[in-house]
Amino acid sequence: MENAEGIALGSGQSTGEHKGRRALCLVRDDDYGAQQITGFYAFAVAPH
């Protein structure tokens, strides 16, 4: 990933498979470059 244009950290999950983890979302744009793509990424982040 060349760059991230936006980042957000969500609240912790209270139920389910990812209980206790927080959502981390990233967005990137293509900067009008032919070799780059717009993308959205979501991760479940565990606290340490």
Side-chain angles (χ1 to χ4, degrees):
M1 179 186 306
E2 293 85 12
N3 61 9
E5 300 294 330
I7 185 170
L9 184 61
S11 60
Q13 299 293 314
S14 59
T15 61
E17 179 181 346
H18 300 294
K19 184 175 181 177
R21 296 182 183 174
R22 298 177 74 176
L24 176 67
C25 300
L26 301 171
V27 61
R28 59 174 277 200
D29 69 5
D30 61 10
D31 292 325
Y32 303 105
Q35 301 298 319
Q36 296 182 0
I37 60 170
T38 298
F40 296 90
Y41 304 86
F43 302 94
V45 181
H48 47 73

